[in-house]
Amino acid sequence: MGSNYQHFMHAFNELHNVIAKKVNRDPETNFGELMGAAAKKRDKVIEKYLNEIDFYRELRNLLTHNTINGDEAAAEPSNSLITEIEMVTEKIKYSKTAKDLFLKKVRQFDINDSLENVLDVINQVRYTQFPVFDGDKLVGILSSIGVTKYLAQAMDKDINAIKKATVRQILEVEDEQEFYETISENTSVFDIEEIFSERIKEGRTTYVLLVAKEKQIKNQNDLIGIITPWDLPKIVANK
């Protein structure tokens, strides 16, 4: 058998082992069963490369069961194919997650903070959406759109009264407070992209993902990152 035959079989076996680990199955599990488990789990990384993986499996079966004169392989895998299967294996093994790309200190407000303070922060940063806490309880997202709407409705008020308005009052005029959800730091970029795709189809173009270690925010320290639609290019680039 040619050396590329051996290299391909080694690369395929490594792919087999990586998929087995990904779906929490024994490495001795039949490859078809592993792919069935991945389908049930809806593993987005494996789904992305499903056609390629099916081709590798068919070629593996061809090489395993067919030889010429009992010695030569029926086909000789190319170097580029072997490189490709190794790349796919790496993508599955080391797929990027929220914690790899989006962990950062999140600027947030207390529900009793003043509008004057909010405007000062907005003037300094490029963010347009901010988590709001009432003590340690997450109560919503403050958006620049909400701030603008509040200001538009308060035009007949004294400027000092407007400055003293609180985040609580601004949240009351936000059109929608259910435009965010919390995800685990281990959520893959594939799952993140799917969430945004589904929300955009629903017309929720300002949807926000809050990143937490365990997918729950019980206090302010649990919030360790934030992802907005503006981050989609970064998500796509890291798939």
Side-chain angles (χ1 to χ4, degrees):
M1 300 287 185
S3 61
N4 273 15
Y5 167 86
Q6 299 295 339
H7 289 161
F8 172 83
M9 296 304 290
H10 175 78
F12 185 87
N13 289 337
E14 179 63 18
L15 173 65
H16 181 119
N17 291 335
V18 166
I19 293 177
K21 185 174 182 179
K22 188 89 179 199
V23 298
N24 299 313
R25 295 294 181 91
D26 188 284
E28 298 301 318
T29 303
N30 175 273
F31 194 76
E33 187 177 336
L34 292 181
M35 294 303 291
K40 288 182 180 179
K41 188 178 178 182
R42 293 197 62 206
D43 187 286
K44 302 300 184 302
V45 191
I46 296 177
E47 283 182 357
K48 175 179 173 62
Y49 295 106
L50 187 59
N51 290 336
E52 289 86 345
I53 293 172
D54 280 342
F55 174 76
Y56 305 150
R57 174 171 57 177
E58 291 177 5
L59 180 57
R60 187 279 310 265
N61 292 340
L62 173 69
L63 295 177
T64 300
H65 302 296
N66 295 275
T67 60
I68 300 173
N69 299 324
D71 183 40
E72 294 182 44
E76 182 76 359
S78 66
N79 290 329
S80 60
L81 178 62
I82 294 171
T83 299
E84 179 185 298
I85 190 173
E86 290 172 343
M87 180 275 292
V88 170
T89 301
E90 288 295 298
K91 289 285 188 179
I92 296 172
K93 188 175 183 179
Y94 300 113
S95 58
K96 294 290 181 66
T97 64
K99 68 181 177 183
D100 296 316
L101 302 170
F102 299 108
L103 294 195
K104 58 189 173 185
K105 185 176 181 180
V106 181
R107 187 63 177 87
Q108 54 197 244
F109 289 109
D110 182 85
I111 200 163
N112 295 312
D113 282 339
S114 69
L115 173 57
E116 185 175 19
N117 182 33
V118 170
L119 292 174
D120 183 56
V121 171
I122 290 177
N123 188 47
Q124 296 178 41
V125 301
R126 64 180 183 85
Y127 313 131
T128 58
Q129 292 151 311
F130 306 86
V132 177
F133 285 84
D134 185 354
D136 269 337
K137 182 181 179 183
L138 177 68
V139 294
I141 298 289
L142 176 70
S143 71
S144 57
I145 294 176
V147 172
T148 302
K149 185 174 181 180
Y150 177 83
L151 290 171
Q153 294 181 4
M155 289 297 291
D156 59 342
K157 295 183 179 179
D158 178 82
I159 186 63
N160 289 323
I162 294 176
K163 287 182 178 181
K164 292 179 181 178
T166 64
V167 170
R168 185 191 303 273
Q169 291 171 275
I170 302 170
L171 286 183
E172 290 174 355
V173 304
E174 288 276 10
D175 290 328
E176 182 183 8
Q177 270 305 303
E178 297 301 320
F179 62 90
Y180 72 93
E181 66 183 90
T182 304
I183 61 172
S184 162
E185 65 177 356
N186 294 313
T187 304
S188 77
V189 291
F190 293 87
D191 289 314
I192 293 170
E193 182 186 40
E194 182 178 58
I195 293 172
F196 277 123
S197 295
E198 291 178 352
R199 299 300 174 265
I200 289 172
K201 288 178 183 177
E202 296 167 359
R204 304 164 89 176
T205 56
T206 58
Y207 206 74
V208 176
L209 299 181
L210 302 179
V211 184
K213 288 186 177 180
E214 302 296 336
K215 201 180 175 180
Q216 288 186 326
I217 299 177
K218 296 180 180 179
N219 58 64
Q220 296 183 39
N221 292 329
D222 290 335
L223 179 58
I224 57 177
I226 186 169
I227 312 172
T228 74
W230 290 102
D231 294 310
L232 278 171
K234 186 175 182 179
I235 293 167
V236 172
N238 282 277
K239 287 174 58 180

